[in-house]
Amino acid sequence: MRFFVFYLGLVLFIVGLAYPLGIGEANIFKYILYIGIITFGIGILLLPGKTN
């Protein structure tokens, strides 16, 4: 589940980059970018860390 959230956020972030790059002008790309950033951040926080 942790890796799913991480990779889902990464994919949404990459697809959402179409808006600031000018590839897509629809508002949906802007919202996909926002959701991707949030999901990617949560996915990073959920990844297991190193234990000493």
Side-chain angles (χ1 to χ4, degrees), residues 1-7 42-44 46-49:
M1 181 68 184
R2 295 175 180 183
F3 292 109
F4 175 73
V5 173
F6 176 75
Y7 286 116
I42 292 171
I44 288 174
L46 289 177
L47 286 177

Side-chain angles (χ1 to χ4, degrees), residues 29-51:
F29 288 111
K30 183 170 33 174
Y31 297 126
I32 288 174
L33 178 63
Y34 296 152
I35 293 170
I37 290 171
I38 293 168
T39 310
F40 185 63
I42 292 171
I44 288 174
L45 292 175
L46 289 177
L47 286 177
K50 285 186 172 181
T51 56

